[in-house]
Amino acid sequence: MGVFMATLASGDSGNRARPLGVPGSWRAWAAALRLPSLLIAISPVLGGTALAYRELGALDAWIVLQVALIAVLVPVATNLQHAVGYTVRGGERSG
């Protein structure tokens, strides 16, 4: 088994790849999902929910849950597609 590699986006690393774990491991999945980016995805939902509650005084929890789930699943799917494309192109072997 190889080691999943990812490219650093910034810093003095010279854009070199760094190991993120064995493919299929929790660490590799977390790297592929880019979990910190999901906070960015959910923040507009939280803001909109707060504004809706302020205006209406009540919320439909089922709608909030559905919107939050979609807000998280879209970047998850995009991040996984990016990781697959990166792997298919052989990006984890360069560097």
Side-chain angles (χ1 to χ4, degrees):
M1 276 190 175
V3 174
F4 181 72
M5 305 291 274
T7 304
L8 297 172
S10 62
D12 295 330
S13 65
N15 231 7
R16 285 177 257 149
R18 62 184 167 115
L20 291 176
V22 177
S25 69
W26 286 109
R27 188 171 181 193
W29 275 103
L33 291 175
R34 298 185 188 126
L35 296 176
S37 69
L38 300 182
L39 294 174
I40 297 168
I42 199 73
S43 61
V45 175
L46 298 175
T49 300
L51 289 173
Y53 183 76
R54 188 179 78 184
E55 290 293 317
L56 302 174
L59 292 175
D60 186 342
W62 179 240
I63 292 174
V64 172
L65 181 65
Q66 288 177 339
V67 172
L69 185 63
I70 291 169
V72 168
L73 288 178
V74 169
V76 162
T78 303
N79 291 344
L80 288 176
Q81 175 57 38
H82 180 267
V84 167
Y86 183 78
T87 302
V88 167
R89 289 189 312 268
E92 76 280 356
R93 289 185 291 273
S94 65

